[in-house]
Structure formats: C-alpha cells, structure tokens
Amino acid sequence: MSNVATTEQAAQQPAQVPARMPIFAGAPPRAIVPSDFDSVWRLSVMIAHSGMAPSGIDTPEKIAVAVMHGLEIGLTPLAALQSIAVIGGRPSIWGDGAIALVRSSGLCEFVHETIDGDGDNRTARCETKRKGDPQSVVRTFSVKDAKTAKLWEKRGKNGNDTPWITNPDRMLQMRARAFALRDAFADVLKGLAIAE
C-alpha cells in the first residue's frame, strides 16, 4: 500500500529540471539555440555588441532576422550568421549552407560536381539525387551562361575584383549547385534563394 501512495505522489509532482545546463571542457559540442523571441533578441544584442557579426548583418534587428530565418530552415544561430546573406532586402543562403542543409536532411542520396572543358569552354555540372525519386537532377552553368548573366569579369562597386574574377571555377560550381539543389530540395531550403 505504501508503494502505491509513493508512486501516486511522485506522479503528481512536476519533474525537477535543472535551471542551467553546465558547460565544461571536453563535453560534446552543442549549439546554444534560443527557444523564444526574447532569447533570440538577447543573443542578437550580444552578437552585435561583440563586433563579430558579418558585414551587413551588424545590428540586433538584422541579426535577429537572420537567426530566425536560420532556425526555420534548421540552422543553429551562429551557423545562420555564416550562411544567411541579405541581398536586396531578401534573406538568401550562401556558401556551403545549402549543401549542408540538403546533406543533413536525410533526403539526399548523393551530390556529384564536376567542371569540364578549359578556358571559355568550361562548364560546371551538378548532379544530385533525392532518395525515393526515380531520376537524378542535373544542372549546368557555363562560362557562356556567366557572360550572358553579366557575371564574368565583373568588378565590385568599389572597383575590387569579385569572386567571378578571382575564383571562376568555384563560382561556376556554386551556380550549377544552386540550381540543382533548389530544384531537387526546395522543401529543405524552404524556397530561400541561394546567393551565388
């Protein structure tokens, strides 16, 4: 009888949850992920005051929007600051953020990327396959495509070389990748554009 009473009493009492989780050296890395808007705001203010926010996302308001966009697509706050760019007032994914999301989604069977040809005859090719789909998605982007889009040998606003001048193969690769990933994994990327 005493066991029944003890079990009933334990079931009625709320579970004790530690107020803070300890952080110590050697622990497996865990991201600090805010669970409400106030936490997002406090984190954004701290990042803005640290001076470590990316250029263009340097106010608490901009940081908060980038963090919230990142959370919506599965990025931790600091990963969002590294992978979300605001271009023309629209948040976009850039760098390796898109392929990281696709590969970690569990929906990607493979991504194969190549660059064929030389000089002005170069073409980047990205082939990806979604698990369960009968066919892979293949997209290409060539030097001719870059010239048509007025990207080739483009200078920045301040006259500096853009990545299209300094890293043309990488930029061709990223464009082919962006088209393939957006077409095959729009649900994972939540419709966000890819900056490259």
Side-chain angles (χ1 to χ4, degrees):
M1 187 93 167
S2 62
N3 278 346
V4 172
T6 306
T7 305
E8 288 174 1
Q9 288 172 348
Q12 292 174 357
Q13 294 180 358
Q16 297 297 318
V17 178
R20 296 175 190 214
M21 294 188 71
I23 298 175
F24 53 90
R30 289 180 302 217
I32 296 172
V33 179
S35 59
D36 57 35
F37 184 78
D38 288 337
S39 298
V40 169
W41 183 251
R42 286 196 338 263
L43 181 66
S44 300
V45 169
M46 183 196 70
I47 292 169
H49 288 167
S50 76
M52 296 180 67
S55 176
I57 305 179
D58 50 3
T59 66
E61 294 84 1
K62 291 176 184 176
I63 293 167
V65 170
V67 166
M68 288 187 294
H69 268 287
L71 290 171
E72 286 181 5
I73 60 174
L75 293 172
T76 60
L78 296 181
L81 288 178
Q82 298 304 313
S83 299
I84 301 283
V86 180
I87 299 170
R90 292 185 60 205
S92 305
I93 302 173
W94 75 282
D96 291 323
I99 199 165
L101 286 169
V102 165
R103 285 189 167 149
S104 67
S105 71
L107 299 172
C108 181
E109 193 169 311
F110 65 77
V111 177
H112 298 295
E113 299 175 303
T114 59
I115 296 184
D116 302 315
D118 295 310
D120 282 358
N121 294 319
R122 282 177 288 183
T123 299
R125 180 180 189 274
C126 180
E127 179 178 8
T128 188
K129 186 168 183 306
R130 186 180 176 113
K131 289 180 181 175
D133 282 0
Q135 295 183 344
S136 61
V137 172
V138 177
R139 298 294 179 261
T140 61
F141 200 81
S142 66
V143 171
K144 182 180 177 186
D145 294 329
K147 288 180 177 181
T148 300
K150 299 187 183 336
L151 298 169
W152 201 249
E153 298 181 9
K154 185 177 178 183
R155 299 254 178 221
K157 291 179 183 177
N158 58 4
N160 293 339
D161 291 344
T162 67
W164 283 96
I165 294 174
T166 58
N167 298 290
D169 286 350
R170 180 72 170 160
M171 296 311 294
L172 292 170
Q173 173 192 0
M174 296 302 272
R175 274 287 170 120
R177 176 191 292 177
F179 289 133
L181 296 183
R182 285 174 63 194
D183 289 348
F185 301 98
D187 56 331
V188 174
L189 302 175
K190 305 289 192 263
L192 285 179
I194 298 179
E196 284 81 12

